[in-house]
């Protein structure tokens, strides 16, 4: 799925899923630009870094206005620490929603004219947290649910010039996995809850993003592609005292 010469912007593309996605597009021969507040600790081969605070709408608009061309926007920047609702005020939770929902909207609007001219596409990096209860990251889950809804509406409003899709991503092994799952024992234990027996690697998400941006997905828009290793085994199966697998 070559993307030779296509210009791709990956927001938050300096580490984790973003870096894996940037590497996947570079491997597909795209010209990749990653943007974040801070440069990557390890330079990304095949990608150009440009500083950008995605929570600054004026800076976002200026960033995209300065691009000579844009074919694909990957709205990846986001995330949240573990924080129960009553452990912070509404304003702090609102900042999580700002980063994970408002910032992708701002970037998409700023990129629209570029994408319309070349019949490009937007790939939203969503999360399974948007489709199930997310205790400890409720604001994040709400933002990701909103992001998926936004993408579906955007796909209708911007058709046929711009395709918009969402990757609904499950648990991924990144530099920060220990913050969510603990050490290797925790990661191993969590991996056993995934039907495919492991956490995703950033490259898995990157490969799916390249597919959605490629001509192979030319008739796919408004879709939500699950990248979660089969999801989660229903808890009642393990709690039940009958019908156990050998």
């Amino acid at each position: 799925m070559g993307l030779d010469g296509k210009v791709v912007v990956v927001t938050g593309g300096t580490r984790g899923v973003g870096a894996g996605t940037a590497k996947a597009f570079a491997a597909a021969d795209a010209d990749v630009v990653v943007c974040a507040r801070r440069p990557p600790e390890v330079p990304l081969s095949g990608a150009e870094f440009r500083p950008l605070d995605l929570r600054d709408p004026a800076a976002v608009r200026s960033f995209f206005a300065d691009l000579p061309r844009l074919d694909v926007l990957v709205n990846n920047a986001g995330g949240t620490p573990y924080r129960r609702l009553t452990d912070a005020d509404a304003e702090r939770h609102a900042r999580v929603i700002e980063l994970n929902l408002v910032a992708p909207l701002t970037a998409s609007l700023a990129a629209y004219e570029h994408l319309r001219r070349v019949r490009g596409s937007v790939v939203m990096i969503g999360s399974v947290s948007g489709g199930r209860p997310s205790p400890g990251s409720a604001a994040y889950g709400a933002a990701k649910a909103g992001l998926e809804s936004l993408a579906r509406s955007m796909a209708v409003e911007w058709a046929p010039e711009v395709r918009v899709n969402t990757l609904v991503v499950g648990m991924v092994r990144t530099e920060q996995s220990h913050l969510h799952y603990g050490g290797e024992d925790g990661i191993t234990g969590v991996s056993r809850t995934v039907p495919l027996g492991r956490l995703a690697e950033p490259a898995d998400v990157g490969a799916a993003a390249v597919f959605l941006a490629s001509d192979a997905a030319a008739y796919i828009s408004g879709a939500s592609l699950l990248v979660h290793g089969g999801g989660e085994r229903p808890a009642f199966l393990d709690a039940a005292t009958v019908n156990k697998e050998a």
Side-chain angles (χ1 to χ4, degrees), residues 4 45 50 62 76 97 100 121 144 149 176 210 222 239 246:
D4 189 25
S45 177
R50 297 188 188 180
S62 177
N76 165 79
I97 296 173
N100 290 280
S121 74
K144 290 299 188 181
S149 176
Q176 296 188 317
V210 169

Side-chain angles (χ1 to χ4, degrees), residues 146-236:
L147 186 68
E148 195 172 348
S149 176
L150 172 66
R152 287 194 296 267
S153 296
M154 194 180 289
V156 175
E157 288 198 18
W158 291 4
E161 291 85 5
V162 181
R163 295 186 302 108
V164 186
N165 293 291
T166 304
L167 292 180
V168 182
V169 180
M171 297 177 288
V172 186
R173 182 164 188 149
T174 70
E175 305 93 328
Q176 296 188 317
S177 292
H178 64 284
L179 299 177
H180 299 279
Y181 314 125
E184 286 301 320
D185 288 346
I187 292 172
T188 299
V190 170
S191 296
R192 285 197 291 266
T193 71
V194 180
L196 288 188
R198 66 175 178 87
L199 304 187
E201 296 292 338
D204 295 317
V205 182
V210 169
F211 163 69
L212 286 179
S214 74
D215 289 342
Y219 198 64
I220 298 176
S221 192
S224 297
L225 177 60
L226 297 170
V227 186
H228 62 5
E232 299 176 0
R233 178 178 168 83
F236 79 86

Side-chain angles (χ1 to χ4, degrees), residues 13-134:
T14 58
R15 63 182 182 180
V17 168
T21 300
K23 291 174 183 176
F25 276 102
D29 297 322
D31 294 330
V32 182
V33 178
V34 299
C35 57
R37 287 185 298 171
R38 291 180 291 274
E41 294 181 3
V42 179
L44 297 174
S45 177
E48 174 189 356
F49 169 76
R50 297 188 188 180
L52 177 65
D53 184 350
L54 288 151
R55 291 176 173 171
D56 182 341
V60 171
R61 287 189 283 269
S62 177
F63 171 86
F64 284 100
D66 288 343
L67 292 177
R69 178 188 174 108
L70 178 64
D71 297 272
V72 180
L73 169 62
V74 182
N75 280 310
N76 165 79
T80 184
Y82 181 87
R83 182 183 295 126
R84 291 186 175 273
L85 284 169
T86 54
D87 289 343
D89 55 28
E91 290 83 356
R92 185 174 289 270
H93 293 301
R95 287 197 286 274
V96 173
I97 296 173
E98 179 186 13
L99 175 62
N100 290 280
L101 177 57
V102 179
L105 172 59
T106 302
S108 298
L109 288 171
Y112 171 72
E113 286 299 331
H114 280 306
L115 297 172
R116 182 186 63 81
R117 282 193 292 270
V118 299
R119 299 181 76 89
S121 74
V122 178
V123 179
M124 304 290 197
I125 303 299
S127 171
V128 295
S129 294
R132 58 156 170 73
S134 298

